[in-house]
Amino acid sequence: MVQSFLPVLERIGEEIENLAGRGRPADYIPALAAVDPNRFGMAVAELDGSVYGVGEWQQPFSTQSVTKVFTLALDLAREGDSLWEHVGREPSGNPFNSLVQLEYEHGIPRNPFINAGALVVTDRLHRMTGDASGSLRDFLRAESANPDLDFNRDVVASETAHGDRNAALAHFMASYGNITTPVPTLLREYFRQCSIEASCADLAVATGFLARHGIRADGSRLLTRSQAKQVNAVMMTCGTYDAAGDFALRVGLPGKSGVGGAIIAVVPGRCTLCVWSPGLDERGNSVAGVAALDRFTTITGLSVF
């Protein structure tokens, strides 16, 4: 049994300093392209509220697709299994912004973590709340106990100016009736949710409800145990795009990455983690982040396998 995660994190931090080939930032989003790929932070949050960190673990960054986990949870809590009529639960095997599968699967995205699937989930949450991005921000503020979490307007503007592929995905699904929010509104909500800035500490703490089997930080229940299991399962099989198999093999935890360089991970019943390093591999996952989580599960023995 690990008594404190801090020595483990310090050891990992030292090893990551010597890691070669740290990847490149997401250069197709200008607001992210200039971030130093060698930056690194990592945090672990236990269920009793203890939080440990190393490196730049309190530095806010662009969360990007990591937020898709929280949007999925908020939607699933509201509409339950009917969500799965509109988005699948299978790995895509294709890049996260691919148009190819949508055509031969009649506008139903393969899973909620590729861009098409996340657009569907955001659409459905917006229909129920009238403010999908605001609902997400409020949730993250409450779960992280950080009332200052907010959108980054520069990132929103950058993604909007370079969002043609996402617009194409949304229009294509709308042609099948699987998107009902006007596409410009949907894109605004989607880009806003991806622009939220948070730190490793914020995200590790905010993800705690998945380690608590659906119980929020205030003790109320957001998801049933079955629904929390569903979110964790989809994270395991689909959370790192078309590298999910490799991530499961190396890390052995449910995880979700974002092209801002963050990855969140869950040890059910024990703790949650967030690691951030902006240098990405060719599949859009943080090179140092995956390496750090690999070392964490190897050192601690904490894995779902």
Side-chain angles (χ1 to χ4, degrees):
M1 179 69 72
V2 176
Q3 296 302 313
S4 171
F5 288 116
L6 186 56
V8 175
L9 295 183
E10 290 174 340
R11 176 178 170 183
I12 292 171
E14 292 174 358
E15 294 180 7
I16 292 299
E17 284 185 4
N18 299 317
L19 181 68
R22 299 280 284 271
R24 299 173 56 188
D27 55 9
Y28 60 91
I29 301 175
L32 303 181
V35 183
D36 181 357
N38 294 314
R39 300 181 74 175
F40 174 80
M42 186 174 186
V44 178
E46 296 191 84
L47 302 191
D48 65 0
S50 301
V51 186
Y52 309 90
V54 67
E56 296 183 78
W57 65 293
Q58 295 178 306
Q59 170 65 42
F61 50 79
S62 184
T63 53
Q64 293 297 308
S65 290
V66 167
T67 59
K68 294 174 182 177
V69 170
F70 305 102
T71 306
L72 172 62
L74 290 173
D75 185 84
L76 193 59
R78 286 168 168 80
E79 66 170 318
D81 285 348
S82 62
L83 167 65
W84 303 120
E85 298 173 11
H86 301 272
V87 62
R89 294 171 288 187
E90 298 292 338
S92 68
N94 284 313
F96 57 83
N97 59 356
S98 173
L99 284 155
V100 175
Q101 283 178 328
L102 279 177
E103 184 159 12
Y104 62 78
E105 294 182 349
H106 309 293
I108 304 295
R110 186 64 69 90
N111 67 69
F113 294 150
I114 56 175
N115 287 17
L119 285 164
V120 168
V121 175
T122 299
D123 168 59
R124 301 192 66 75
L125 183 62
H126 193 70
R127 290 175 60 192
M128 289 181 284
T129 65
D131 185 6
S133 59
S135 298
L136 171 65
R137 179 184 59 185
D138 292 346
F139 177 78
L140 288 173
R141 285 176 170 177
E143 294 306 292
S144 68
N146 181 355
D148 296 325
L149 291 189
D150 213 341
F151 311 114
N152 182 309
R153 293 182 180 180
D154 291 338
V155 173
V156 174
S158 185
E159 296 204 49
T160 300
H162 297 82
D164 292 339
R165 179 65 67 94
N166 286 313
L169 291 167
H171 282 295
F172 191 84
M173 291 185 292
S175 74
Y176 281 96
N178 202 25
I179 292 290
T180 59
T181 304
V183 170
T185 301
L186 175 60
L187 293 175
R188 180 197 68 206
E189 294 297 303
Y190 179 71
F191 295 145
R192 277 162 62 87
Q193 80 173 44
C194 290
S195 81
I196 289 176
E197 290 191 327
S199 68
C200 291
D202 294 328
L203 290 175
V205 173
T207 307
F209 72 98
L210 290 174
R212 293 188 293 268
H213 309 293
I215 301 295
R216 295 186 59 170
D218 64 3
S220 64
R221 180 170 288 280
L222 175 70
L223 301 174
T224 66
R225 287 186 69 98
S226 177
Q227 289 172 334
K229 180 185 71 175
Q230 289 176 22
V231 175
N232 281 326
V234 177
M235 288 172 68
M236 174 65 81
T237 58
C238 309
T240 48
Y241 310 119
D242 52 334
D246 183 67
F247 186 83
L249 186 149
R250 293 183 60 185
V251 176
L253 293 174
K256 180 72 192 86
S257 62
V259 297
I263 307 174
I264 56 173
V266 180
V267 184
R270 181 61 195 276
C271 64
T272 46
L273 305 96
C274 179
V275 60
W276 171 65
S277 186
L280 310 179
D281 62 21
E282 67 278 2
R283 293 173 174 176
N285 299 310
S286 171
V287 174
V290 174
L293 291 170
D294 182 355
R295 292 299 294 144
F296 178 86
T297 54
T298 299
I299 295 168
T300 64
L302 293 174
S303 166
V304 298
F305 300 116

